Structures are given as structure tokens and as C-alpha cells.
């Protein structure tokens, strides 16, 4: 038994802890065994003195470390070899020190308690200390994917393939990434290729584990949910599969089941920034604004990744009524823009000021948006510019914008033609 497992044995049962709680004596126990203990005794199992209380608090940090440890140690089991493992598929166990460092980084990642840029720096340092370790490269790729840097994620996955003989998981990750980028058929071809190259491996679990999230992003959302649910029945402790399951429901806009499944997740793992976000969005869909705000505020208080915080400020602002909550909406949109300009809060601010007939401020924010896009082709810019131009009496500019829109937004060409006729 390795050093980490020895550190997380319950003092009462001497078995591995799954649901750690801190008792009044300051020690951590498995919840079920501690409950059984205090049902018949008021003495501390560790120090032998009277317990001042039988209440407990969740050990959230240890719960996450246990979850991440389970992920690393159990990942090879998901390969489920049908025959004796060929030498090329034997994964050398990670050094204990590296497991601990990765577990801490993944805890920060799931909490988003540090900006991604800081986590990238830590991973760069790990790669210098442990060059070519596949799991570091793959976790790095996952973070890059979350940060929308898909090209860099693909480079890291391809490097993981070159650096290690164990290429099955990187190839599945590459298939998922290719699918998310918009080519699900190429992703499926990659999966088929992996299966042909490695016929001794039972690919069922791997295909679900790594490709189902691509299915969610592309077309087969309900099918993906069924596959992920079946997978979780076999591997109930796979944290990321549970996240994919909730994400599938979120994309399907099944707010009731998002709330149901995310509660199960949070009861088990206590906190995850993405799950808290899905709960906020589910409550928003149900028009339960106060509950949505509660989860947005939870993320804003606990997470530090600028892009994710910007999204929360942006979504929170859009739940407000511009007529009666202008100041709150303006503050949140400005916060979103300052954290991550590409979220396009500036064009929403332009519309917000236009509605209040503060046209100079509207024009300023529209110019901000225009600095990042091609004004000759961008639909959102030309729509806002046309509307603003009509209201400020600039007919020539409005006609120019509507003419661009007829070409670039053909589905609404008849409407734009009608607007031009009304200006002539």
C-alpha cells in the first residue's frame, strides 16, 4: 500500500476513507464509521478523552485529494485488457511525490481557485522535473481545452503520444478534441483507427469516457447522456464522467435533472466550479433568479480564473432587468469586460446605453467591440451599428450596415431590405 493510502486510512476501521469528516477532536474519520462509533461512545477514538460534541464538518480538501488519487490509480483499470497486457500497454506507476503534486493542482483546477495561467506555470515546472510524463501532458491538455486554447491542447496530446508507448488514451483525447473543433466524423475515424490498431483492448469504456463529451458538443446529446450514465454505473468514482453527465443535461436544457444530478455530485465532492455554474444556469432557466445568483456569487467568491469569473458576471447581468437594475447590470458587464474582453460584454453595454438614449457611451462601447472584429463582415456589429445609426439620424450609415447584413445574414435578408426601404 503506498504512502498516500496509508495517510487516508480511517483511524477506527483502518480502511480507506471515502467520505472524510473532521470530528470535534480535530481528527479525520470515515463518516459512517464515526457515526457508528459515537452511537455507542462519547470518547474520542484517537485520544481517549471525552468528545465535546458529536457534530462533524466535511473535510473538503481531503475529499478532493481522494477523488483525484482514485482517478490516477484507477485509470489503467479502464483499459480492461481482454488478454495478457502487451508490454507497450504497461503504465509505470507515478512517483508518490508527483501524485501528490498533480492531486493538488487538480484540486485547484476543479475549484478554479487559481487562474489557469498560474496552473500552467506549475505544470511547466512539473514537466521540467518529470519530462515526458504522459499524465502531466494530458492534464495540461485538458486545462488548455478548458481555456479554449484548442491548438495548444492538440500539441500537448500529440506530444503525449510521442513521449509514451501508451498511446490509447491520448488518441481518444485527440478524437474528442477534433470533434469539439467541429469535425465529429474525423473524430470517429480516429476512434475506429485506435480500435483497429489495438484489437486486444476492450474499448467500450474508453470510447464512452473520452468521446461522449464530443457527442454532447456536436449532435447526439441524449445518446451521450445514456452512454455516460451506463459508464458511471460501471465506474461510479470517475469524477470527470459525472461532470460530463451533468454537462450533457445542461446542453439539453434539462434544468430539473441538472439540479438533481449536480446535487448528487456536490453531496459527494462538496464543490466544483463548473457544477456550481451548471446549477446557476439551471435555476436561471427555471426563472429562479435568487437561487441562480446564489451560485454565481459562490463562484465569484471562490474562483480566481478570469475567463470563468467574466462568464459569471456576464450571465448574472443578463438575468437583470435593464430598466430597473441599470447600475447593477452596468457594473457586472464592466467587470466581465475587464476580466475577459473576448466575452463581448462591450456590445451588450452598447445596447444597454442605447436603450437609455446615452448615445455617446453606446458608441464608445460599440467602438470597443469593433476593435476586435471585422466590421465589414461581423453581424453583431452591423446590427448594433444600424440600430444606433437609425436612432441618431445617420441614415447613410444605417443603410450601409443593413446592406452588409443582407449579404452576411441571408436568413433575415427580407427584414433588412424592408428597413432600407423605410429609410429611403
Amino acid at each position: 500500500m503506498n504512502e498516500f493510502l496509508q495517510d487516508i486510512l480511517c483511524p477506527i476501521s483502518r480502511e480507506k476513507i471515502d467520505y472524510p469528516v473532521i470530528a470535534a477532536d480535530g481528527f479525520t474519520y470515515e463518516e459512517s464509521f464515526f457515526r457508528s462509533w459515537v452511537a455507542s461512545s462519547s470518547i474520542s477514538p484517537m485520544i481517549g478523552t471525552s468528545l465535546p460534541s458529536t457534530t462533524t464538518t466535511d473535510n473538503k480538501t481531503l475529499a478532493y485529494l481522494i477523488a483525484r488519487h482514485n482517478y490516477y490509480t484507477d485509470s489503467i483499470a479502464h483499459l480492461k485488457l481482454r488478454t495478457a497486457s502487451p508490454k507497450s500497454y504497461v503504465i509505470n506507476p507515478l512517483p508518490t511525490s508527483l501524485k501528490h503534486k498533480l492531486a493538488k493542482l487538480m484540486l485547484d483546477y476543479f475549484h478554479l481557485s487559481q487562474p489557469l495561467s498560474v496552473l500552467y506555470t506549475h505544470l511547466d515546472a512539473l514537466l521540467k522535473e518529470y519530462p515526458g510524463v504522459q499524465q502531466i501532458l494530458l492534464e495540461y491538455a485538458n486545462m488548455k481545452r478548458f481555456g479554449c486554447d484548442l491548438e495548444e491542447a492538440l500539441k500537448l496530446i500529440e506530444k503525449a503520444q510521442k513521449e509514451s508507448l501508451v498511446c490509447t488514451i491520448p488518441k481518444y483525447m485527440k478524437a474528442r478534441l477534433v470533434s469539439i473543433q467541429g469535425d465529429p466524423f474525423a473524430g470517429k475515424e480516429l476512434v475506429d483507427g485506435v480500435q483497429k490498431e489495438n484489437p486486444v483492448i476492450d474499448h467500450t469504456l474508453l470510447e464512452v469516457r473520452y468521446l461522449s463529451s464530443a457527442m454532447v458538443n456536436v449532435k447526439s446529446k441524449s445518446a451521450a447522456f445514456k452512454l455516460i450514465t451506463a459508464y458511471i454505473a460501471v465506474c461510479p468514482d470517475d469524477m470527470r464522467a459525472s461532470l460530463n453527465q451533468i454537462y450533457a443535461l445542461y446542453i439539453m436544457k434539462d434544468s430539473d435533472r441538472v439540479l438533481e444530478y449536480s446535487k448528487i455530485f456536490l453531496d459527494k465532492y462538496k464543490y466544483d466550479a463548473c457544477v456550481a455554474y451548471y446549477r446557476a444556469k439551471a435555476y436561471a432557466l427555471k426563472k429562479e433568479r435568487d437561487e441562480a445568483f446564489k451560485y454565481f456569487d459562490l463562484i465569484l467568491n471562490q474562483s480566481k480564473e478570469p475567463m470563468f469569473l467574466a462568464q459569471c458576471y456576464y450571465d448574472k447581468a443578463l438575468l437583470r432587468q435593464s430598466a430597473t437594475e441599470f447600475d447593477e447590470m452596468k457594473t457586472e458587464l464592466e467587470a466581465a469586460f475587464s476580466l475577459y474582453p473576448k466575452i463581448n460584454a462591450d456590445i451588450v453595454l452598447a445596447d444597454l446605453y442605447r436603450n437609455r438614449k446615452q448615445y455617446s457611451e453606446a458608441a464608445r462601447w460599440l467602438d470597443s467591440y469593433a476593435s476586435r472584429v471585422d466590421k465589414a463582415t461581423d453581424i453583431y456589429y452591423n446590427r448594433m451599428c444600424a440600430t444606433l445609426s437609425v436612432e441618431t439620424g445617420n441614415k447613410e450609415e444605417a443603410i450601409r450596415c443593413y446592406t452588409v447584413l443582407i449579404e452576411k445574414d441571408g436568413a433575415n435578408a427580407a427584414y433588412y431590405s424592408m428597413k432600407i426601404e423605410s429609410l429611403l
Side-chain angles (χ1 to χ4, degrees), residues 306 310 313 331-343 345-346 349 365:
Y313 277 122
T331 299
E332 287 158 355
L333 286 168
E334 287 176 348
F337 177 78
S338 66
L339 286 164
Y340 189 64
K342 290 182 180 179
I343 202 168
D346 41 7
L349 279 160
W365 283 108

Side-chain angles (χ1 to χ4, degrees), residues 25 27 131 136 143 160 201 241 244 267 281 316 349 365 396:
D25 61 3
F27 290 93
I136 301 175
M143 289 189 197
I201 296 179
N244 281 343
D267 286 345
K281 294 291 282 185
K316 191 176 178 185
L349 279 160
W365 283 108
E396 288 184 5

Side-chain angles (χ1 to χ4, degrees), residues 345-410:
D346 41 7
I347 197 166
V348 183
L349 279 160
D351 193 43
L352 188 67
Y353 280 107
R354 182 195 63 79
N355 283 329
R356 293 175 69 88
K357 301 188 185 306
Q358 296 181 21
Y359 295 124
S360 61
E361 278 298 295
R364 182 173 72 85
W365 283 108
L366 183 59
D367 287 343
S368 169
Y369 176 77
S371 68
R372 298 192 312 280
V373 301
D374 181 356
K375 292 192 290 186
T377 60
D378 188 81
I379 292 173
Y380 300 107
Y381 169 79
N382 282 284
R383 281 178 184 168
M384 179 58 62
C385 186
T387 304
L388 193 59
S389 297
V390 168
E391 293 186 13
T392 55
N394 190 343
K395 291 185 179 182
E396 288 184 5
E397 181 65 8
I399 290 171
R400 186 195 67 77
C401 292
Y402 283 131
T403 303
V404 170
L405 289 167
I406 288 172
E407 179 185 352
K408 301 300 179 183
D409 187 19

Side-chain angles (χ1 to χ4, degrees), residues 118 232 247:
V118 173
I232 291 172
Y247 179 62

Side-chain angles (χ1 to χ4, degrees), residues 58-89:
D58 296 324
N59 190 331
K60 297 180 181 179
T61 299
L62 184 57
Y64 260 96
L65 290 174
I66 291 168
R68 299 311 307 148
H69 172 80
N70 289 342
Y71 169 75
Y72 289 118
T73 55
D74 294 343
S75 60
I76 186 60
H78 297 168
L79 292 175
K80 294 190 107 180
L81 300 185
R82 288 198 185 104
T83 62
S85 301
K87 185 177 180 181
S88 62
Y89 294 101

Side-chain angles (χ1 to χ4, degrees), residues 137-202:
L137 292 166
L138 296 182
E139 293 297 2
Y140 206 163
N142 271 323
M143 289 189 197
K144 286 289 186 179
R145 179 178 59 84
F146 181 80
C148 300
D149 191 347
L150 300 186
E151 289 186 8
E152 189 62 29
L154 189 58
K155 288 178 184 177
L156 287 162
I157 290 170
E158 290 174 343
K159 186 175 181 182
Q161 287 182 242
K162 294 176 183 177
E163 294 283 355
S164 174
L165 291 172
V166 188
C167 293
T168 307
I169 290 175
K171 286 180 179 177
Y172 272 107
M173 288 182 67
K174 184 175 180 179
R176 176 177 62 177
L177 196 62
V178 168
S179 296
I180 291 172
Q181 286 177 310
D183 195 345
F185 300 106
K188 187 66 173 70
E189 285 180 9
L190 284 169
V191 170
D192 292 341
V194 176
Q195 294 173 338
K196 289 176 183 177
E197 290 172 15
N198 309 294
V200 299
I201 296 179
D202 181 353

